[in-house]
Amino acid sequence: EEELYKYPVTKFPEVEEISTSVEPFMRLFQVVFKWQRAERKWMDGNFLDLDAEAIETEVDEYWRELYKIQKVFNKKLKILMGEREERERERKKRRRHHEESEDQEQEQEEEEVTPPAALGICGTVQDNMKDFKEDIPVISIMCNPGMRERHWTGMSEIAGFDLTPDAGTTLRKMLKLNLEPYMEQFEGISGGASKEFSLEKAMLKMMEEWEDIVFCTTQYRDTG
């Protein structure tokens, strides 16, 4: 309204200061919320819908955003510690000049700087991300789009029980089966499935390209 009536625009420095202070907390809340929602989807969603490459990219994005936010709070912590050290230096200077009694000095002892709680949240979420990243190879090996029934049969024979996923299979359930000892063998089967899948796609593409091609024949001279 002030702009419309060409009045001098009132400044609200405290509002700007509050907005600036709140901004990193809002960013932290948003990235943690997105991460938790994505992790639940990956852990408890349909197992065969998981895409290891896309998941790794998304986790790396959350990690980078969290790292940037962490730097903001670390900077705040350094400023607080710097201010405390400055006050300590001033106190020592006054003490040397006998400007304060020992009792007064004791009363004004500086408290230890407490790191922002947000830094603890950043650390906890980063640890969660590290733990999840260790499971991405399982997704890469077992959620291969080239996997067919024969491959699951091969893996099941190695593990000693049926591993073929169904509608209720999730990453959380699969991880509880403790399949780590067999992963190297599973990787070989999955690698073979990838190569077969590449050949399958190439053959389908070739068939599509040749589908509309028609070869015409004509009589050869007068032999009929």
Side-chain angles (χ1 to χ4, degrees):
E1 288 174 348
E2 288 172 342
E3 284 177 356
L4 285 170
Y5 287 107
K6 302 192 185 309
Y7 291 163
V9 178
T10 307
K11 300 294 182 186
F12 297 97
E14 287 186 4
V15 173
E16 290 179 13
E17 187 180 333
I18 290 167
S19 298
T20 303
S21 300
V22 167
E23 194 262 346
F25 292 97
M26 179 60 76
R27 283 170 59 199
L28 176 62
F29 175 83
Q30 288 172 340
V31 73
V32 172
F33 175 74
K34 286 178 184 175
W35 155 250
Q36 290 179 338
R37 186 173 58 182
E39 187 194 23
R40 278 196 299 271
K41 182 182 73 176
W42 297 328
M43 292 295 286
D44 300 314
N46 191 324
F47 183 65
L48 292 179
D49 287 343
L50 299 178
D51 182 334
E53 194 174 334
I55 289 172
E56 190 166 15
T57 301
E58 196 170 335
V59 173
D60 286 341
E61 285 175 9
Y62 296 143
W63 181 276
R64 282 193 296 271
E65 181 61 23
L66 199 61
Y67 178 72
K68 290 175 190 173
I69 297 166
Q70 192 178 37
K71 282 176 72 176
V72 172
F73 288 113
N74 274 323
K75 189 176 178 182
K76 286 179 181 287
L77 179 60
K78 284 181 182 177
I79 291 169
L80 290 172
M81 292 180 73
E83 288 172 351
R84 183 183 186 279
E85 287 170 6
E86 183 62 31
R87 289 194 296 270
E88 283 289 340
R89 282 195 293 272
E90 287 296 320
R91 180 173 291 106
K92 287 176 183 176
K93 195 184 293 182
R94 289 196 300 271
R95 188 181 294 163
R96 282 198 298 270
H97 289 82
H98 306 288
E99 290 177 4
E100 294 179 343
S101 70
E102 195 171 325
D103 290 341
Q104 287 174 323
E105 191 66 30
Q106 195 68 28
E107 285 174 8
Q108 296 179 15
E109 277 296 324
E110 285 288 334
E111 293 182 4
E112 288 295 322
V113 174
T114 305
L119 274 177
I121 294 171
C122 289
T124 301
V125 176
Q126 283 176 329
D127 288 341
N128 290 341
M129 288 182 182
K130 283 178 187 174
D131 291 340
F132 183 82
K133 277 186 170 185
E134 291 178 5
D135 299 329
I136 290 179
V138 175
I139 301 170
S140 180
I141 291 167
M142 303 190 75
C143 299
N144 183 341
M147 293 283 283
R148 299 289 181 264
E149 189 177 343
R150 61 184 180 275
H151 303 118
W152 288 111
T153 301
M155 286 186 176
S156 299
E157 287 172 358
I158 291 168
F161 52 89
D162 189 12
L163 286 174
T164 309
D166 55 31
T169 304
T170 64
L171 177 59
R172 194 183 302 276
K173 289 178 182 176
M174 199 61 85
L175 292 174
K176 284 180 180 177
L177 298 176
N178 299 317
L179 299 172
E180 267 186 50
Y182 315 114
M183 274 302 151
E184 194 172 335
Q185 292 168 278
F186 289 174
E187 191 173 2
I189 293 173
S190 181
S194 293
K195 291 174 184 176
E196 291 165 15
F197 187 51
S198 296
L199 289 171
E200 188 181 318
K201 286 195 295 183
M203 288 178 70
L204 287 171
K205 186 182 176 185
M206 199 183 300
M207 287 167 69
E208 285 173 8
E209 288 172 350
W210 283 82
E211 191 173 6
D212 298 329
I213 296 174
V214 178
F215 291 95
C216 298
T217 58
T218 57
Q219 287 188 352
Y220 179 71
R221 296 185 182 176
D222 58 352
T223 62

